[in-house]
């Protein structure tokens, strides 16, 4: 049996999977900001759960009725920052936090 949720709410979302090639490979502790139109949301990439369980390592954002592209900023605890512009909504994006993947030095203007 395959169950598929097909309800049409008109609401949109974006989910981000953060990866790094070395060190903090799951980007735990990263602050992720999504700007959707005039709305700005911030989440922290976290790990953990309770006894014999694990929470989702992806960072998820509900966008309401905003259907246009979103801008994403990822800041690691050490200050390194990445920006992605114009990501489409209603999908999962895997963002590679590599030195050549749109990395900006700490304190650089947007």
């Amino acid at each position: 049996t395959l169950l598929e949720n097909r309800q049409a709410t008109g609401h949109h979302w974006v989910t981000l999977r953060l990866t790094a090639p070395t060190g903090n490979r799951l980007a735990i502790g990263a602050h992720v900001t999504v700007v959707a139109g005039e709305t700005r949301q911030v989440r922290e990439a976290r790990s953990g759960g309770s006894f014999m369980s694990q929470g989702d390592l992806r960072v998820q954002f509900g966008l309401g009725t905003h259907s246009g592209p979103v801008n994403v900023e990822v800041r690691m605890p050490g200050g390194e920052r990445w920006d992605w512009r114009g990501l489409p909504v209603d999908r999962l994006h895997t963002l590679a936090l590599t030195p050549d993947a749109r990395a900006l030095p700490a304190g650089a203007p947007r």
Side-chain angles (χ1 to χ4, degrees):
T1 302
L2 174 65
L3 301 176
E4 184 177 353
N5 185 353
R6 292 188 180 199
Q7 67 182 357
T9 65
H11 294 167
H12 301 280
W13 56 273
V14 67
T15 300
L16 307 170
R17 178 184 300 132
L18 307 176
T19 64
T22 61
N24 185 359
R25 296 181 60 111
L26 300 174
I28 302 301
H31 286 121
V32 182
T33 303
V34 167
V35 178
E38 298 297 317
T39 303
R40 178 185 190 95
Q41 297 182 56
V42 180
R43 304 265 189 283
E44 182 177 334
R46 295 181 179 202
S47 172
S50 65
F51 181 70
M52 295 186 70
S53 70
Q54 172 66 51
D56 195 346
L57 295 172
R58 300 173 299 179
V59 184
Q60 303 175 29
F61 296 87
L63 306 175
T65 58
H66 179 82
S67 61
V70 297
N71 297 329
V72 176
E73 176 188 73
V74 177
R75 286 186 180 266
M76 289 300 288
E80 196 168 14
R81 186 176 100 197
W82 290 263
D83 281 311
W84 285 267
R85 302 279 180 225
L87 295 180
V89 299
D90 297 335
R91 57 184 74 172
L92 166 67
H93 296 279
T94 298
L95 304 180
L97 307 179
T98 60
D100 58 342
R102 305 181 189 176
L104 299 172
R110 292 179 129 209

